[in-house]
Amino acid sequence: MNTKHFLSTQDWSRSELDTLLDQARAFRESRLGDQLAGKAIALLFFNPSMRTRTSFELGAHQLGGKAIVLAPGKDAWPIEFEVGSVMDGETEEHIAEVARVLSRYVDLIGVRAFPKFQDWSVDREDTVIQAFARYSTVPVINMETITHPCQELAHIMALQQHLGTELKGRKYVLTWTYHPKPLNTAVANSALQIATRYGMDVTLLCPSGAYLLDPRYMDFARENVAANGGSLRVSHDIESAYRDADVVYAKSWGAIPFFGRWDEERQIREGNKHFIVDEAKMALTNHGLFSHCLPLRRNVKATDAVMDSPSCIAIDEAENRLHVQKAIMAALVAQPGFGIRE
Amino acid sequence: MNTKHFLSTQDWSRSELDTLLDQARAFRESRLGDQLAGKAIALLFFNPSMRTRTSFELGAHQLGGKAIVLAPGKDAWPIEFEVGSVMDGETEEHIAEVARVLSRYVDLIGVRAFPKFQDWSVDREDTVIQAFARYSTVPVINMETITHPCQELAHIMALQQHLGTELKGRKYVLTWTYHPKPLNTAVANSALQIATRYGMDVTLLCPSGAYLLDPRYMDFARENVAANGGSLRVSHDIESAYRDADVVYAKSWGAIPFFGRWDEERQIREGNKHFIVDEAKMALTNHGLFSHCLPLRRNVKATDAVMDSPSCIAIDEAENRLHVQKAIMAALVAQPGFGIRE
Amino acid sequence: MNTKHFLSTQDWSRSELDTLLDQARAFRESRLGDQLAGKAIALLFFNPSMRTRTSFELGAHQLGGKAIVLAPGKDAWPIEFEVGSVMDGETEEHIAEVARVLSRYVDLIGVRAFPKFQDWSVDREDTVIQAFARYSTVPVINMETITHPCQELAHIMALQQHLGTELKGRKYVLTWTYHPKPLNTAVANSALQIATRYGMDVTLLCPSGAYLLDPRYMDFARENVAANGGSLRVSHDIESAYRDADVVYAKSWGAIPFFGRWDEERQIREGNKHFIVDEAKMALTNHGLFSHCLPLRRNVKATDAVMDSPSCIAIDEAENRLHVQKAIMAALVAQPGFGIRE
């Protein structure tokens, strides 16, 4: 039997995702359950977290389970991911042992591991979580690496709360925004994936071709359009992109062709601070909703007025992280054959 | 409805405080309960902690609740507290979002945030916890900022264990002591507040007028004296202050007029190492009790002989943190209308 | 009544250890219990941990208890261990207060405190855990200091799983291996102690006399041989040591005579990289089992081929940490008179 992980929504069928969302809505109504009674999840944070940490730790608890929070390299040993390497450097332990040992202790493993931002051809291999998935004998959950599938479900759930379950035909804009640092493309990749998965008419708005996402995710989005209807277009024109939008989702990310040459990229980025989401832009939309995955720098990525307006559903989306992750954990431990220890 | 927070004992009536202390004594006899069943508290530590962390985390658990421990800027994102700021600096997330999101996840929020020690006119605004109180829709608990109200209740409870419930007429000395660093005035402010609240005859003993506390707290103490009887005097004379005291409470703090000019202040501080609490001074008292909030540097703030004597009740006071904080959490979630989610 | 701690297996009788192992096997079959219901353990990590942290935190939870994880000097105050010292340096709090306060909050205290590697005559006093044991009024558990008794039981349990309960007469090799840093002798001391305790024919294989262990542990091993049968010999010859071995246990450690002069020691260490456990050496054994306490640097201490072979039982040993530690915690709280608060 192959263990089913939750690494990418692309690995799960639309009907499986809908089932997760239904379960999440049930957890929104009634928070406590026993789906994880006697079970445990290890949460490995290679990068900081507030929402993810709180919602997973609390979510496991509310279903009768126990979360163990680990920060490798800080309060746990630094881990080696290369196969066959002679470990005479900084790493003290190989992922093979880490994953195998944790699989003896816990029933689920969550992993947050951001890119290193030196070389995209390396980062796009998503080595850390792929290695956990290979060596673990228990399901692995992506808590954000180069995609952020938990955020995807929380996002769709928030849109469905405000627009109804059927999202087909909605005009959805994923807009790049300025940020003083070059950030992870994970949430942008994820937004593109899930918005096309739910059949929306998606516009990727960004300053130039340099900010297109990795072909893997552009291709996933095109495949989703082919399978589910809707559409995908790229735009560099703010006004036409916002016009009549039902949803504006903002995210900043570093330009992939400039990975590791961030001083050069900074000049382009700093020339595009006007991509900030403000009231004037939102006024072009069809009474559009605004959201963001958080954390968000106010008055850099979106103005106070937008953040504090009733059309901002970012707090709902953040709340939904709790509900969807409980649904994911419950579904993973309910797999046939789960929990049978050799 | 206004959410009731636990930010300062001055916001709570004497009868409310007495009810908290009664509940705390009940928890001392019987540790387990279900007052927080299905509930959660987020504990935000902007500064380190041992007692506070342990007693809150364990206290919530013993009442059926779940504590989530977060260290913003370390394992969570750095937070912005200014309203309207353009967040292009180090902070990644505004308190508005942090407080609103946490309010969706948890039922209580505890905050520890010490002063920055650069400018008292800034620190005295207590920006961090005031911002949490403003934006949170759940009760906020002060885990030490520029006052330490949980410590106040633990302190009074310890005095009542050893002196009886009625503390009126007891001679109480809050003595400044030397410490190599300029410390927070929080526990000194708190001691002054709560000792006058319980009607004691309070002496603030310190090396000079430079060590007087902020007028806000001196005024609170005078108001308390007016309302509850007792008295307040300031003394710079060690012998007369200790003479016939029933209680000696020690604390070191930095002189407020020297905030941000600590090199100058250090010279005054280093000239007053003789404020250490020792057996000779304690012999002047009326078989007085000694206490301290801990952590305490032995043989700097108090001698080994004092710390290890039967008159030292610092360990009882520390134990009481567990009991009073459980009483506070239980009282806050029992507010009318609590837990009704919009 | 003297509180019984779990500091060293040498303090526990063979029949007590066997009872712990029986209980651990019962927990392996059935993970949940109520032996720690309403109880708590403080886990103090002066050094990082993955397995220890996870297995103790989860183990306490599975028995109905609550673990509080503290990292003194990082998220809690730095602690003073000297008696009588004038604390005007870096430490903020004395072990006397830390231990006494924690004893009021929790029912068990676990301590991980590695040597400082400057002066073995200091490190061998094991000051940190000895101070906790002196001042605590609740049982203290060694989570690795200069010995690692929890690992000892997990190791024996793994051997018994694969070789049967009676280990007498088995040929056991503790082999030194190279590591780029001079490591703690704790697990080596422990291996020597427990292997002789269970009556095996033990060979300590190391490059030279410089790598002999501290006389205290060499003497314990000899006493164990005298009491339990079996044998102890030291060898510097790889081939004869491995020949016909039933068990090969690997560990790297720094040479005690070179403590604090690690640049000199490094030259010896680097000349002995050939002590790596590989297939050729394992082929000399009697279909021997291989184990290690983890973390292990692959291809430095043991090759990939050895680690991934069926004879490697390191993952079983790591799993057993969970089971034996639950047995230890359950035994300590079941002491007569336990939990009677003064």
Side-chain angles (χ1 to χ4, degrees):
Chain A
M1 191 201 72
N2 275 332
T3 302
K4 184 156 192 170
H5 303 295
F6 187 76
L7 304 182
S8 163
T9 52
Q10 295 292 122
D11 305 332
W12 289 56
S13 74
R14 172 67 192 269
S15 104
E16 286 174 322
L17 297 179
D18 287 336
T19 303
L20 290 175
L21 288 167
D22 286 340
Q23 178 64 72
R25 278 183 280 268
F27 284 137
R28 196 166 94 94
E29 295 311 307
S30 176
R31 292 204 170 190
L32 306 182
D34 62 1
Q35 288 84 344
L36 298 179
K39 304 245 178 289
I41 181 168
L43 304 176
L44 282 91
F45 287 99
F46 292 85
N47 303 91
S49 161
M50 196 274 286
R51 266 159 296 278
T52 299
R53 157 83 185 284
T54 305
S55 55
F56 264 107
E57 190 175 351
L58 189 56
H61 176 80
Q62 290 176 342
L63 299 184
K66 171 72 179 168
I68 305 287
V69 179
L70 296 166
K74 234 164 56 170
D75 57 17
W77 306 104
I79 300 174
E80 176 67 44
F81 292 94
E82 290 281 316
V83 172
S85 68
V86 176
M87 291 171 56
D88 55 6
E90 286 309 301
T91 56
E92 290 285 355
E93 179 152 34
H94 197 275
I95 177 63
E97 276 69 61
V98 173
R100 286 167 184 164
V101 170
L102 285 177
S103 295
R104 296 289 183 97
Y105 291 153
V106 300
D107 306 280
L108 294 165
I109 296 173
V111 176
R112 162 163 289 198
F114 291 172
K116 300 288 186 202
F117 293 99
Q118 295 306 310
D119 181 345
W120 176 246
S121 73
V122 172
D123 284 341
R124 80 189 296 278
E125 297 307 318
D126 220 2
T127 311
V128 173
I129 200 161
Q130 292 299 337
F132 271 99
R134 183 177 325 117
Y135 290 106
S136 296
T137 58
V138 299
V140 173
I141 298 174
N142 181 346
M143 303 199 300
E144 190 176 355
T145 61
I146 54 171
T147 62
H148 197 350
C150 295
Q151 193 73 44
E152 293 178 39
L153 292 190
H155 180 47
I156 290 295
M157 184 175 168
L159 296 183
Q160 291 179 328
Q161 282 171 252
H162 291 272
L163 299 175
T165 309
E166 182 54 80
L167 297 173
K168 221 168 228 198
R170 294 292 183 175
K171 182 170 176 194
Y172 180 103
V173 180
L174 167 63
T175 179
W176 180 93
T177 58
Y178 171 75
H179 185 289
K181 298 175 198 159
L183 298 186
N184 197 348
T185 56
V187 172
N189 295 334
S190 276
L192 214 60
Q193 277 188 162
I194 203 68
T196 51
R197 199 73 186 281
Y198 277 78
M200 290 187 274
D201 293 312
V202 177
T203 299
L204 167 58
L205 170 64
C206 55
S208 74
Y211 287 91
L212 288 182
L213 298 166
D214 184 87
R216 181 195 293 147
Y217 302 104
M218 300 298 290
D219 288 348
F220 277 148
R222 282 185 210 103
E223 289 166 26
N224 290 343
V225 166
N228 304 295
S231 60
L232 173 69
R233 74 183 179 107
V234 173
S235 169
H236 306 311
D237 179 66
I238 292 174
E239 192 174 320
S240 68
Y242 272 78
R243 177 124 13 236
D244 297 323
D246 296 299
V247 179
V248 175
Y249 200 50
K251 184 71 191 75
S252 188
W253 63 89
I256 287 177
F258 289 86
F259 247 67
R261 296 180 294 137
W262 296 116
D263 281 347
E264 292 175 54
E265 195 255 11
R266 179 197 300 270
Q267 295 165 34
I268 310 177
R269 208 165 0 107
E270 303 232 318
N272 287 290
K273 294 186 180 179
H274 59 287
F275 275 75
I276 186 171
V277 183
D278 57 23
E279 284 181 295
K281 294 189 190 75
M282 289 303 293
L284 298 170
T285 68
N286 177 29
H287 306 287
L289 298 171
F290 171 73
S291 197
H292 186 277
C293 61
L294 306 180
L296 175 142
R297 289 173 173 244
R298 280 177 171 240
N299 304 314
V300 170
K301 295 165 92 175
T303 61
D304 283 333
V306 169
M307 287 303 292
D308 294 327
S309 75
S311 64
C312 174
I313 61 168
I315 306 297
D316 290 336
E317 182 171 326
E319 177 188 322
N320 291 343
R321 294 286 304 279
L322 178 65
H323 311 312
V324 301
Q325 290 162 192
K326 285 160 76 173
I328 294 162
M329 291 188 282
L332 289 174
V333 301
Q335 294 180 56
F338 185 86
I340 299 172
R341 296 183 189 277
E342 67 277 39
Chain B
M1 191 202 74
N2 276 332
T3 302
K4 185 157 191 167
H5 302 295
F6 188 77
L7 304 182
S8 164
T9 52
Q10 295 293 122
D11 305 332
W12 289 57
S13 75
R14 172 64 191 270
S15 104
E16 286 174 322
L17 297 180
D18 286 337
T19 303
L20 290 176
L21 288 166
D22 286 340
Q23 177 64 73
R25 278 182 281 269
F27 284 136
R28 196 166 94 94
E29 295 311 307
S30 177
R31 294 204 169 190
L32 306 183
D34 61 2
Q35 289 84 345
L36 298 180
K39 306 246 178 287
I41 182 169
L43 304 175
L44 281 90
F45 288 99
F46 292 84
N47 303 93
S49 161
M50 197 274 286
R51 267 161 295 280
T52 300
R53 157 82 185 283
T54 305
S55 55
F56 265 107
E57 191 175 351
L58 189 56
H61 175 81
Q62 290 176 344
L63 298 183
K66 171 71 180 169
I68 305 287
V69 179
L70 296 166
K74 234 165 53 172
D75 59 16
W77 307 105
I79 299 174
E80 177 66 45
F81 292 94
E82 290 282 317
V83 172
S85 69
V86 176
M87 291 171 58
D88 55 6
E90 285 309 302
T91 56
E92 290 284 354
E93 179 150 37
H94 197 274
I95 177 63
E97 276 68 60
V98 173
R100 287 168 183 162
V101 170
L102 285 177
S103 295
R104 297 288 183 97
Y105 291 152
V106 299
D107 305 281
L108 294 165
I109 296 174
V111 176
R112 161 162 290 197
F114 291 172
K116 300 287 185 203
F117 293 99
Q118 294 306 311
D119 180 347
W120 176 247
S121 73
V122 172
D123 284 340
R124 80 188 296 279
E125 297 306 319
D126 219 1
T127 311
V128 173
I129 200 162
Q130 293 298 336
F132 271 100
R134 184 179 324 119
Y135 289 106
S136 296
T137 58
V138 300
V140 173
I141 299 174
N142 181 343
M143 303 198 301
E144 191 176 355
T145 61
I146 57 172
T147 62
H148 197 350
C150 295
Q151 193 73 43
E152 293 178 40
L153 293 190
H155 180 48
I156 290 296
M157 184 174 169
L159 296 182
Q160 292 179 327
Q161 283 171 250
H162 292 272
L163 298 174
T165 308
E166 183 53 81
L167 298 173
K168 220 166 228 198
R170 294 292 184 173
K171 183 172 176 192
Y172 180 102
V173 180
L174 168 62
T175 179
W176 179 93
T177 57
Y178 170 75
H179 185 287
K181 298 174 197 160
L183 297 187
N184 197 350
T185 57
V187 171
N189 295 333
S190 276
L192 215 60
Q193 277 187 162
I194 203 69
T196 52
R197 197 74 185 282
Y198 277 78
M200 290 187 274
D201 293 313
V202 177
T203 299
L204 167 57
L205 170 64
C206 55
S208 74
Y211 288 91
L212 288 181
L213 297 166
D214 183 86
R216 181 193 295 148
Y217 302 103
M218 300 298 290
D219 287 349
F220 276 149
R222 283 185 209 103
E223 289 167 25
N224 290 341
V225 166
N228 305 295
S231 60
L232 173 68
R233 73 181 181 107
V234 171
S235 169
H236 306 312
D237 179 65
I238 292 173
E239 191 173 319
S240 69
Y242 272 78
R243 178 135 357 247
D244 297 324
D246 296 300
V247 179
V248 176
Y249 199 50
K251 184 70 190 77
S252 187
W253 62 89
I256 286 177
F258 290 86
F259 246 68
R261 296 179 293 135
W262 297 116
D263 281 346
E264 292 176 54
E265 195 256 9
R266 179 197 300 269
Q267 295 165 35
I268 310 175
R269 207 163 3 105
E270 303 232 319
N272 287 290
K273 295 186 179 179
H274 58 288
F275 274 76
I276 186 171
V277 183
D278 58 22
E279 285 182 296
K281 295 189 189 76
M282 290 303 293
L284 299 169
T285 69
N286 176 30
H287 306 288
L289 298 172
F290 170 73
S291 199
H292 186 279
C293 62
L294 306 180
L296 175 141
R297 288 173 174 246
R298 280 177 170 241
N299 302 314
V300 170
K301 296 166 91 175
T303 61
D304 282 333
V306 169
M307 287 303 293
D308 294 326
S309 77
S311 65
C312 173
I313 61 167
I315 306 296
D316 290 336
E317 182 170 325
E319 177 189 321
N320 290 343
R321 294 286 306 279
L322 178 65
H323 310 312
V324 302
Q325 291 162 190
K326 285 161 76 173
I328 293 162
M329 291 189 282
L332 290 174
V333 301
Q335 295 181 56
F338 184 86
I340 298 173
R341 296 184 189 276
E342 65 278 34
Chain C
M1 191 202 72
N2 276 331
T3 301
K4 183 156 192 170
H5 302 295
F6 187 77
L7 304 182
S8 163
T9 53
Q10 294 292 124
D11 305 333
W12 290 56
S13 75
R14 171 65 191 270
S15 103
E16 286 174 322
L17 298 180
D18 286 337
T19 303
L20 290 176
L21 288 167
D22 285 340
Q23 177 64 73
R25 277 183 280 268
F27 284 136
R28 196 166 93 94
E29 295 309 309
S30 176
R31 293 202 169 192
L32 307 182
D34 62 1
Q35 287 86 344
L36 298 179
K39 306 245 179 289
I41 181 168
L43 304 176
L44 282 91
F45 287 99
F46 292 83
N47 303 92
S49 161
M50 197 275 286
R51 264 160 297 279
T52 300
R53 157 85 184 283
T54 304
S55 54
F56 265 107
E57 190 175 352
L58 189 56
H61 176 80
Q62 290 176 343
L63 298 183
K66 171 72 180 168
I68 305 287
V69 179
L70 296 166
K74 232 165 55 170
D75 59 16
W77 307 104
I79 301 173
E80 176 67 43
F81 292 94
E82 290 282 317
V83 172
S85 68
V86 176
M87 291 171 56
D88 55 7
E90 285 310 302
T91 55
E92 290 284 354
E93 179 150 37
H94 197 275
I95 178 65
E97 276 68 61
V98 173
R100 286 167 184 164
V101 170
L102 285 178
S103 295
R104 296 289 183 96
Y105 291 153
V106 300
D107 306 279
L108 294 165
I109 296 173
V111 176
R112 162 163 289 197
F114 291 171
K116 301 287 185 205
F117 293 99
Q118 294 305 311
D119 180 347
W120 176 247
S121 74
V122 173
D123 284 340
R124 79 189 296 280
E125 298 306 319
D126 219 2
T127 312
V128 174
I129 200 160
Q130 292 299 335
F132 271 99
R134 183 179 324 117
Y135 290 106
S136 296
T137 58
V138 299
V140 173
I141 298 174
N142 181 344
M143 303 199 299
E144 190 175 356
T145 62
I146 56 171
T147 63
H148 198 349
C150 295
Q151 193 73 44
E152 294 178 39
L153 293 190
H155 179 49
I156 290 296
M157 184 174 168
L159 296 183
Q160 290 178 329
Q161 281 170 251
H162 292 271
L163 298 175
T165 309
E166 182 55 80
L167 297 173
K168 221 169 227 195
R170 293 292 184 174
K171 182 170 179 195
Y172 180 102
V173 181
L174 168 62
T175 178
W176 180 93
T177 58
Y178 170 76
H179 185 288
K181 299 175 196 159
L183 297 187
N184 197 349
T185 56
V187 172
N189 295 332
S190 276
L192 213 60
Q193 277 187 162
I194 203 69
T196 52
R197 199 73 184 284
Y198 277 78
M200 291 186 273
D201 293 312
V202 177
T203 299
L204 167 56
L205 170 64
C206 55
S208 74
Y211 288 92
L212 287 182
L213 296 167
D214 183 87
R216 180 194 294 147
Y217 303 104
M218 300 298 289
D219 286 350
F220 277 150
R222 281 185 210 103
E223 290 166 25
N224 290 341
V225 166
N228 304 295
S231 60
L232 173 68
R233 72 181 181 108
V234 172
S235 169
H236 306 311
D237 179 65
I238 292 174
E239 190 172 323
S240 68
Y242 272 78
R243 174 118 21 232
D244 296 323
D246 297 298
V247 179
V248 175
Y249 200 49
K251 184 72 188 77
S252 187
W253 63 88
I256 287 177
F258 289 86
F259 248 66
R261 297 181 291 134
W262 296 117
D263 280 347
E264 292 175 55
E265 194 254 11
R266 179 198 300 270
Q267 294 164 35
I268 310 175
R269 207 164 1 105
E270 303 232 321
N272 287 290
K273 294 186 180 179
H274 60 287
F275 274 75
I276 186 170
V277 183
D278 57 22
E279 285 182 294
K281 294 189 188 76
M282 290 303 293
L284 298 169
T285 69
N286 177 29
H287 306 287
L289 297 172
F290 170 74
S291 198
H292 186 277
C293 61
L294 306 181
L296 175 141
R297 289 173 175 244
R298 280 178 170 238
N299 302 315
V300 170
K301 295 165 92 174
T303 60
D304 283 332
V306 169
M307 287 303 292
D308 294 326
S309 76
S311 64
C312 173
I313 62 168
I315 306 296
D316 290 337
E317 182 170 326
E319 177 189 321
N320 291 343
R321 294 286 305 279
L322 177 66
H323 311 311
V324 301
Q325 291 162 190
K326 287 161 73 174
I328 293 163
M329 292 188 282
L332 289 174
V333 301
Q335 294 182 55
F338 184 86
I340 298 172
R341 297 183 187 277
E342 66 277 37

